[in-house]
């Protein structure tokens, strides 16, 4: 499909800034089990696994039409289950859902050694959060690649690299394509500390 509209960087940044302002400082984030409701106005569904108050400045100022989370998004789980979706409320408005989205298991890891083209071993300072079978994506990694084997600091890919990967490169583990909010593990235990690994806003019209 051809591009039907385009905005410059100032407009794209303004769109994200307006979104942040509409929710306001220190909102409440709730992570629930199950599928996301059909709209923000629909009845809530699923079990609340964790509720956390986000920092006053919870989203960074946008740059080039992109904004990442700011500060630490973390809380203690009050129930057990698999995270499926989240909802966000303005501070002091516990029933006014302003924003909702899908939760997936995904997180970045930064390589600590160079990996040559046509090899399949990546090295990190720690690979403890990685599981065999996890999806892997990033520059030089073919679509559909998964983790075949792992050690405490390395992962062996199911395919070989199509280009070399330098040390210091971010590689994405898990379902990085479908989630608006990422967790290291979506299977949550009672009293576990739950920390969001990424929440990135990208304005349309690039």
């Amino acid at each position: 499909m051809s591009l039907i509209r385009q905005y410059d960087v100032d407009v794209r940044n303004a769109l994200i800034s307006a979104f942040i302002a509409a929710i306001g400082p220190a909102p409440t984030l709730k992570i629930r089990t199950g599928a996301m409701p059909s709209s923000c106005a629909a009845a809530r569904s699923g079990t609340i696994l964790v509720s956390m108050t986000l920092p006053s400045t919870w989203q960074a100022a946008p740059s080039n039409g992109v904004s990442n989370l700011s500060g630490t998004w973390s809380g203690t789980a009050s129930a057990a289950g698999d995270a499926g979706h989240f909802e966000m409320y303005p501070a002091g408005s516990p029933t006014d859902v302003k924003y909702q989205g899908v939760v997936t298991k995904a997180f970045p890891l930064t390589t600590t050694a160079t990996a040559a083209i046509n090899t399949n071993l990546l090295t990190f300072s720690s690979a403890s959060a990685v599981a065999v079978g996890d999806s892997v994506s990033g520059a030089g990694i073919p679509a559909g690649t998964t983790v075949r084997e792992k050690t405490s600091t390395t992962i062996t890919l199911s395919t070989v690299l199509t280009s070399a990967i330098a040390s210091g490169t971010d590689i994405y583990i898990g379902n990085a394509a479908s989630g608006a909010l990422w967790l290291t593990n979506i299977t949550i235990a009672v009293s576990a500390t739950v920390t969001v690994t990424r929440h990135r806003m990208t304005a349309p019209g690039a």
Side-chain angles (χ1 to χ4, degrees):
M1 180 180 293
S2 60
L3 187 66
I4 59 173
R5 61 176 58 87
Q6 192 171 40
Y7 311 125
D8 78 352
V9 169
D10 289 342
V11 172
R12 297 179 71 232
N13 287 344
L15 290 171
I16 295 176
S17 294
F19 164 82
I20 296 169
I23 295 175
T28 297
L29 177 75
K30 295 182 181 181
I31 297 175
R32 293 180 178 259
T33 60
M36 182 175 66
S38 59
S39 73
C40 290
R44 298 295 90 194
S45 63
T47 300
I48 297 172
L49 300 175
V50 59
S51 178
M52 60 184 78
T53 300
L54 302 186
S56 180
T57 301
W58 52 276
Q59 197 72 16
S63 176
N64 294 319
V66 177
S67 170
N68 291 301
L69 67 80
S70 180
T72 300
W73 296 20
S74 188
T76 301
S78 58
D82 288 347
H85 72 281
F86 69 89
E87 57 203 23
M88 192 177 290
Y89 303 78
S93 299
T95 61
D96 185 16
V97 178
K98 292 293 187 184
Y99 171 46
Q100 62 179 5
V102 174
V103 175
T104 57
K105 176 185 176 179
F107 53 94
L109 286 180
T110 304
T111 58
T112 56
T114 298
I117 187 172
N118 294 325
T119 61
N120 66 343
L121 186 72
L122 300 179
T123 304
F124 310 94
S125 59
S126 173
S128 61
V130 180
V132 172
D134 280 348
S135 297
V136 186
S137 57
I141 299 175
T145 296
T146 60
V147 177
R148 192 180 74 191
E149 299 174 3
K150 60 160 286 188
T151 70
S152 61
T153 58
T154 67
I155 63 173
T156 302
L157 305 177
S158 61
T159 60
V160 297
L161 301 176
T162 57
S163 63
I165 295 177
S167 179
T169 300
D170 280 349
I171 301 299
Y172 300 98
I173 308 297
N175 186 356
S178 301
L181 185 148
W182 296 359
L183 300 177
T184 303
N185 192 347
I186 62 168
T187 300
I188 295 171
V190 176
S191 299
T193 299
V194 178
T195 301
V196 176
T197 57
R198 174 169 287 191
H199 177 261
R200 173 172 286 182
M201 304 295 299
T202 301

